[in-house]
């Protein structure tokens, strides 16, 4: 199996619902979790009547041969493609405390902490610098700033009832030369198939309110295999030239003291998360106009001492005639 990187360039506004905020139409997230991506791929295969591929997909996911990251922001500045990763939910002990000189210094430290808290993503090339700052007990100031897009509140009218009722939908529009990228671990014979599925999904759209024309995208380029170098890790670090190189290195660091999850995760054993530093994320959704019970999963950016495989949940009930999958497998980088 190999890792592949693919980039989504959106041609329309998007509506990515956020269950953590109640799932209301007025609330959105700027990115997509791996479980939403997996569900969208499954629905696309059903609409194409490709149940053979759907069965293969779920079997390969359950066996660990296929796994997906969440989708994260990217931006292109000139010839520089900047890939961003989630900020690690990590606080290390043992670092020296920053000494406060005076009241002005205290205000600057406070402002820097607030800014860092709002900074959900860090450029891949800067992840090592971030870890060094955290270990030293220092505040990290990002060198690269992300300008992915803007959100807008749109007024709509529901005409299905006896009386027309207005409602509001919040949408997100990606700026020019920005979008989302993901990482997929795939067997070699799945590469072309996955690319065709994603190209087809781009026409169908991803996220909510697709019937209103939201969520359409094209692949920025063909999916790219992330090939490791023959150099040893120490030498490779000195040869890094872009974010892709850094991600290749981090995916390969299975022995690092911290492993950061790049996808929503449902651990097989709740005890396994002890000793980690993580956040939980509320997940919910609909299928065939039926709302599923909400569950809590580990969010991308959570860090653990070892890589946990996670699982693919079947949320179907007694009255359902087919499985209803919720993706919860893990993909990791070493920190």
């Amino acid at each position: 199996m190999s890792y592949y990187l693919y980039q989504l360039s959106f041609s329309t506004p998007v509506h990515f619902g956020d269950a953590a905020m109640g799932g209301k139409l007025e609330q959105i997230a700027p990115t997509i979790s791996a479980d939403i991506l997996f569900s969208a791929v499954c629905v696309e295969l059903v609409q194409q009547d490709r149940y053979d591929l759907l069965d293969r997909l779920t079997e390969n996911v359950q066996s660990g041969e296929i796994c997906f990251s969440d989708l994260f922001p990217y931006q292109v500045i000139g010839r520089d493609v900047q890939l961003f990763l989630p900020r690690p939910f990590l606080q290390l002990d043992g670092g020296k405390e920053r000494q406060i000189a005076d009241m002005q210094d205290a205000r600057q430290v406070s402002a820097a902490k607030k800014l860092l808290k709002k900074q959900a993503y860090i450029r891949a090339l800067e992840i090592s610098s971030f870890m060094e700052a955290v270990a030293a007990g220092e505040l990290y100031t990002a060198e690269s700033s992300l300008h992915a897009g803007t959100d807008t509140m749109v007024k709509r009218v529901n005409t299905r009832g006896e009386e027309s009722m207005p409602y509001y939908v919040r949408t997100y529009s990606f700026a020019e030369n920005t979008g989302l990228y993901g990482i997929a671990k795939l067997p070699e014979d799945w590469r072309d198939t996955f690319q065709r599925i994603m190209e087809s999904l781009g026409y169908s759209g991803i996220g909510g309110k697709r019937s209103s024309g939201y969520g359409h995208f094209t692949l920025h380029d063909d999916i790219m295999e992330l090939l490791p170098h023959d150099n040893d890790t120490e030498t490779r670090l000195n040869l890094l030239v872009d974010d892709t190189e850094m991600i290749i290195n981090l995916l390969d660091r299975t022995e690092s003291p911290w492993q950061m999850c790049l996808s929503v995760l449902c651990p097989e054993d709740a005890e396994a998360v002890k000793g980690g530093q993580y956040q939980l994320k509320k997940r919910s959704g609909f299928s065939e106009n039926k709302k599923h019970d909400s569950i809590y999963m580990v969010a991308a950016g959570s860090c653990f001492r070892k890589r946990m495989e996670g699982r693919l949940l079947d949320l179907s009930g007694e009255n359902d005639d087919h499985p209803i999958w919720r993706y919860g497998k893990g993909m990791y980088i070493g920190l």
Side-chain angles (χ1 to χ4, degrees):
M1 275 72 68
S2 299
Y3 289 102
Y4 296 88
L5 186 144
Y6 57 99
Q7 295 171 257
L8 278 55
S9 177
F10 288 89
S11 56
T12 66
V14 300
H15 176 81
F16 302 147
D18 192 344
M21 298 181 179
K24 298 180 180 180
L25 291 174
E26 299 92 337
Q27 304 291 345
I28 58 171
T31 55
I32 301 175
S33 298
D35 57 337
I36 296 178
L37 172 68
F38 178 78
S39 296
V41 169
C42 290
V43 170
E44 187 66 21
L45 292 176
V46 169
Q47 291 177 343
Q48 295 179 13
D49 200 27
R50 292 302 308 270
Y51 291 95
D52 56 330
L53 270 181
L54 179 60
D55 290 340
R56 280 182 55 203
L57 175 65
T58 54
E59 289 173 2
N60 288 160
V61 167
Q62 287 176 318
S63 67
E65 295 177 274
I66 291 178
C67 65
F68 304 101
S69 74
D70 286 8
L71 299 185
F72 307 122
Y74 76 85
Q75 64 184 9
V76 181
I77 300 178
R79 301 179 63 182
D80 187 18
V81 180
Q82 299 181 358
L83 305 177
F84 289 78
L85 292 169
R87 177 170 58 86
F89 303 137
L90 195 60
Q91 294 180 350
L92 301 182
D93 298 325
K96 59 184 179 182
E97 292 293 330
R98 164 81 181 267
Q99 298 296 319
I100 305 299
D102 50 34
M103 185 60 68
Q104 182 179 356
D105 191 27
R107 285 195 293 266
Q108 291 176 345
V109 170
S110 177
K113 287 183 177 180
K114 291 179 180 178
L115 182 62
L116 181 60
K117 190 174 182 180
K118 293 180 180 179
Q119 189 177 345
Y121 299 96
I122 294 177
R123 188 178 176 185
L125 272 180
E126 298 181 33
I127 200 78
S128 294
S129 298
F130 172 83
M131 292 297 296
E132 290 173 1
V134 172
E138 299 174 351
L139 293 174
Y140 179 72
T141 303
E143 298 178 14
S144 303
S145 56
L146 175 63
H147 304 285
T150 57
D151 62 274
T152 306
M153 191 75 78
V154 180
K155 185 177 181 179
R156 298 287 183 180
V157 178
N158 185 351
T159 59
R160 295 180 181 178
E162 296 181 0
E163 183 178 353
S164 298
M165 297 294 293
Y167 66 96
Y168 292 89
V169 178
R170 189 177 294 277
T171 65
Y172 190 87
S173 297
F174 286 92
E176 186 178 3
N177 296 322
T178 69
L180 300 177
Y181 80 95
I183 303 168
K185 186 177 79 169
L186 303 168
E188 185 177 352
D189 61 350
W190 263 94
R191 174 179 179 165
D192 293 340
T193 300
F194 180 67
Q195 176 154 328
R196 288 194 297 269
I197 293 172
M198 293 304 296
E199 290 172 343
S200 177
L201 184 59
Y203 290 105
S204 302
I206 192 169
K209 307 301 288 184
R210 294 187 302 278
S211 60
S212 298
Y214 297 143
H216 295 285
F217 65 86
T218 57
L219 289 180
H220 183 68
D221 204 344
D222 290 346
I223 65 173
M224 178 180 65
E225 186 174 3
L226 298 175
L227 295 172
H229 295 276
D230 295 331
N231 311 90
D232 59 69
T233 301
E234 193 65 34
T235 303
R236 193 187 315 162
L237 283 171
N238 295 326
L239 295 175
L240 297 177
V241 295
D242 59 20
D243 295 274
T244 304
E245 297 266 2
M246 175 60 84
I247 289 175
I248 292 171
N249 173 62
L250 296 175
L251 287 167
D252 195 40
R253 296 174 64 175
T254 58
E255 302 300 324
S256 295
W258 289 102
Q259 300 293 324
M260 185 177 81
C261 194
L262 297 181
S263 62
V264 287
L265 172 71
C266 185
E268 295 182 351
D269 181 7
E271 294 293 317
V273 302
K274 289 186 176 181
Q277 298 188 32
Y278 58 92
Q279 289 187 7
L280 297 179
K281 190 171 187 177
K282 185 178 180 181
R283 313 302 298 140
S284 62
F286 291 82
S287 64
E288 299 174 346
N289 296 320
K290 174 185 174 183
K291 189 177 188 303
H292 305 302
D293 292 336
S294 297
I295 61 174
Y296 285 87
M297 304 175 73
V298 174
S302 298
C303 298
F304 304 97
R305 290 300 187 180
K306 63 178 182 179
R307 300 186 175 190
M308 293 175 285
E309 183 175 344
R311 51 184 169 155
L312 186 63
L313 297 173
D314 183 359
L315 303 180
S316 59
E318 296 180 357
N319 298 324
D320 295 307
D321 57 2
H322 60 80
I324 299 173
W325 301 113
R326 171 69 72 181
Y327 182 91
K329 291 281 190 171
M331 179 185 291
Y332 298 88
I333 57 174
L335 301 178

